[in-house]
Amino acid sequence: NPLHDWSRSWSLSRVKGLSSESSSFLWKLLHQLLPVRERLERMLPTVSSSVCQVCDSGETDSLQHALAYCSASSLVFNWMLAGLGKFSENLTAEKVLLLDFTPREPLPHQELPLVWFTAEVLQRIWKCRKDGKVCRLTEIKAELDAAVNLILNSKFGDMVPVLREMF
């Protein structure tokens, strides 16, 4: 993506208010370091196929496929995309994976609610995938609700209504 504003994406991946775990995950995502089969096939002689092993689509297990299009994660990703779409214009899976947000209106702490929600959901999708499980939207919503409740009493508490509206 040579036309993409990478400095903005990298800046958003380490915006104040994200946990170190979220920043680290987003850094790996933006640098395409997450171990999807497409990457592993290039790096490891023992991986002989880049085809997704989680679904039966026959698609290459790229980052976009693994996080957005695979049948094991697409329901959760599409839910996240719809939530983000309430506050950001012209979103696509590709834009979300690049943290390319265009807020419709000023938000508390600028893009932090969008980046936080994205990081939290994508980390949970990735964990399910890593553990060989199908993502369950009800479980992810419950985990996010608990995380949002923790934010309520922090200095970022004013972004909680925005986060809850994304649900």
Side-chain angles (χ1 to χ4, degrees):
N1 295 301
L3 301 178
H4 179 67
D5 182 0
W6 285 104
S7 61
R8 185 167 183 272
S9 291
W10 292 323
S11 173
L12 288 175
S13 74
R14 59 183 193 278
V15 70
K16 191 174 204 136
L18 290 179
S19 67
S20 58
E21 184 179 324
S22 291
S23 289
S24 177
F25 176 81
L26 292 174
W27 189 87
K28 291 173 190 173
L29 173 70
L30 291 172
H31 287 86
Q32 299 188 5
L33 296 175
L34 295 171
V36 290
R37 290 192 66 85
E38 178 183 53
R39 183 169 194 267
L40 294 175
E41 183 187 35
R42 286 191 320 261
M43 297 177 63
L44 301 173
T46 57
V47 178
S48 61
S49 172
S50 63
V51 173
C52 180
Q53 304 293 301
V54 179
C55 69
D56 58 2
S57 68
E59 295 288 323
T60 298
D61 188 32
S62 64
L63 277 175
Q64 285 182 358
H65 174 78
L67 296 171
Y69 301 125
C70 182
S71 60
S73 56
S74 62
L75 177 69
V76 174
F77 188 89
N78 289 334
W79 169 78
M80 176 189 69
L81 189 62
L84 291 168
K86 294 175 184 177
F87 297 95
S88 185
E89 297 177 346
N90 305 318
L91 275 183
T92 63
E94 293 76 17
K95 284 185 171 192
V96 170
L97 296 176
L98 292 171
L99 305 181
D100 187 4
F101 301 116
T102 307
R104 294 181 197 278
E105 59 194 53
L107 297 171
H109 306 285
Q110 299 168 357
E111 289 95 346
L112 177 59
L114 302 172
V115 176
W116 184 91
F117 188 65
T118 301
E120 293 296 319
V121 173
L122 292 180
Q123 283 179 94
R124 284 166 173 77
I125 290 173
W126 185 254
K127 184 178 182 333
C128 288
R129 189 169 189 85
K130 191 173 74 172
D131 295 345
K133 298 178 182 176
V134 174
C135 295
R136 303 213 185 290
L137 185 56
T138 53
E139 291 174 14
I140 289 176
K141 281 182 177 181
E143 290 174 10
L144 290 174
D145 192 46
V148 167
N149 285 337
L150 291 174
I151 293 173
L152 193 57
N153 297 319
S154 75
K155 68 179 182 179
F156 301 104
D158 55 340
M159 73 177 194
V160 167
V162 173
L163 293 172
R164 290 224 165 107
E165 195 171 331
M166 287 185 206
F167 284 52

